Amino acid sequence: MKASEDWWALWIGLLVFALSLCTLAGRDLLGWGVTTQVWLSPAKALAPVSKAYAVLPGVASLALTYLFLLAVMTGGAAALGLDAKRFAAGFSVILWASWLCWLAGNNAYVAATPDKRAGFGIGWSLSLTGEAGFIVALAAGLAIGNFLPGVATWLAEATRPEWYVKIAIVVLGGALGVQAAGARGLATAVLFRGFAAIVEAYLIYWALVYLIARRVFRLTREWAAPLASGISICGVSAAIATAAAIRARPVVAIMVSSLVVLFAVVELVVLPFAAEAFLVHQPLVAGAWMGLAVKTDGAAVASGAITEALLRARAAAAGITYQEGWMLMTTTTVKVFIDMFIGVWAFVLALVWAYGIRKDEGRTVSARDIWERFPKFVLGYFVTFTALLGLVVTRPGLLDAAKLASAETNVFRVLFFVMTFFTIGLVSNFAKLREEGIGRLALVYVVCLFGFIVWIGLAVSWIFFHGMEPPRVG
Amino acid sequence: MRPDLSDEPLLPAEVKLITWSLVLGVVLLGLLVWVSEAFFAAG
């Protein structure tokens, strides 16, 4: 089997998921994983996730979590053909730096929502919830990536935001499955509407961006098609798949991908706060918007997490407690559907280019091309989602064990998310924007992204998700 | 590496791709909204 990040994201995600499922048989194998709680005293910040390991000191729990992840990820890196020693060293730094950012974001003055301040004995807080740690991690990564390029280069072997977020998404599926079991009607509606939203986005986004790139900015087909896919669909993967489908030179995909990554960070910093300002009463519209507008899996899911934190905090201030996870589920649903269709769209473009533009003789495009470009980690998301959803629906007596299993996988999901934010920052060198030759592409990108992609994404999200709310707690 | 400027005219295949994509998008929008409301209600 071909070793790829995609496959190894699937295997590692499923490994964590499978270990967590042992709780269903009364065996708690991952309960030592560390959770980081909102804190005033650092000594109280750490604890094992499961009561079965309550005697374990928080620091020991953290050390075990690190060693487990180091072993699994280094094994995966070796299987991918990476330099295992360099990866292990870089991964260790990234994990610890990311976790410290997460810890900082969980400080009570940063994270505590208004209803929790009295419990901590504090009179004010930023009310950002613990997810503020994501923003801290992004800022730290950006600082290193832009001001300490030597350090960023040293960490390069383990700087793999897409790998980390794909593992997180596989793991996330199980937790969302447990939640969806409690509100099956809403979950089904989110799934279908997410599918509908991306069908619309694909058909409208790509055609408009391509038309503008060709007619207004006069780019050649070789540049316009990957750029249209990169801006309109899902960033790096779509740009690379499209470039391959139309047989563009490798440099085209590389330059478009650089732009995608850089602008995804801009979106990640701006759009969740825009959603907080304007969509506080439409939480699922906000979640879907992040999935449609923010490019790259990592930045999109990260934006969904920040958006959820911001909107839940605002709702809590108004006395409404939304069940956690629904906005993120909407973002993730939209994103995985987008990923699923990259292969199909690349297939369509390959046909058009082969038979309508290049008119290649003897060129055939097979269904195998679709499968090769299909993002395999998406399978993992659906497997874990449907497995726990089906389990809890058919055997309600296992609900508590399933909740513990999802809490245990959540330990690793959070760590992979934080590492995603940190490494997105590391790879985002804004000086690249000033490089000669990328200016015109960047201009197309800015015009299309902020001129209509973001707004059409908002309109499509509104059409399919307005009026929908996560279940309320209490 | 500077992106190439183009005097490449839009070929009929490109025009068809753009047109079909947009037309299908608009038509499906109506259909998908109807299916969403009819079978996957928000409430």
Side-chain angles (χ1 to χ4, degrees), chain A residues 410-462:
Chain A
N410 196 49
V411 166
F412 300 97
R413 195 267 299 173
V414 165
L415 284 171
F416 280 116
F417 266 18
V418 188
M419 287 191 288
T420 301
F421 275 85
F422 186 75
T423 49
I424 283 176
L426 281 181
V427 298
S428 303
N429 186 341
F430 286 101
K432 282 186 180 173
L433 274 182
R434 294 194 294 272
E435 284 179 9
E436 190 182 3
I438 208 166
R440 177 175 293 269
L441 283 182
L443 191 59
V444 184
Y445 207 102
V446 169
V447 167
C448 293
L449 187 66
F450 295 107
F452 63 89
I453 293 278
V454 163
W455 310 117
I456 292 177
L458 178 57
V460 170
S461 302
W462 185 276

Side-chain angles (χ1 to χ4, degrees), chain A residues 93-170:
Chain A
V93 172
I94 287 171
L95 178 60
W96 284 104
S98 301
W99 179 79
L100 284 172
C101 294
W102 184 244
L103 181 69
N106 272 275
N107 180 273
Y109 284 104
V110 178
T113 47
D115 56 316
K116 300 285 190 323
R117 286 176 194 155
F120 287 103
I122 58 178
W124 68 274
S125 66
L126 296 176
S127 303
L128 291 174
T129 76
E131 273 78 359
F134 294 141
I135 300 172
V136 178
L138 177 66
L142 282 171
I144 295 172
N146 286 276
F147 300 117
L148 298 170
V151 176
T153 303
W154 187 79
L155 295 172
E157 197 76 345
T159 303
R160 300 181 176 274
E162 295 290 313
W163 195 25
Y164 300 145
V165 81
K166 286 172 181 175
I167 298 171
I169 290 174
V170 173

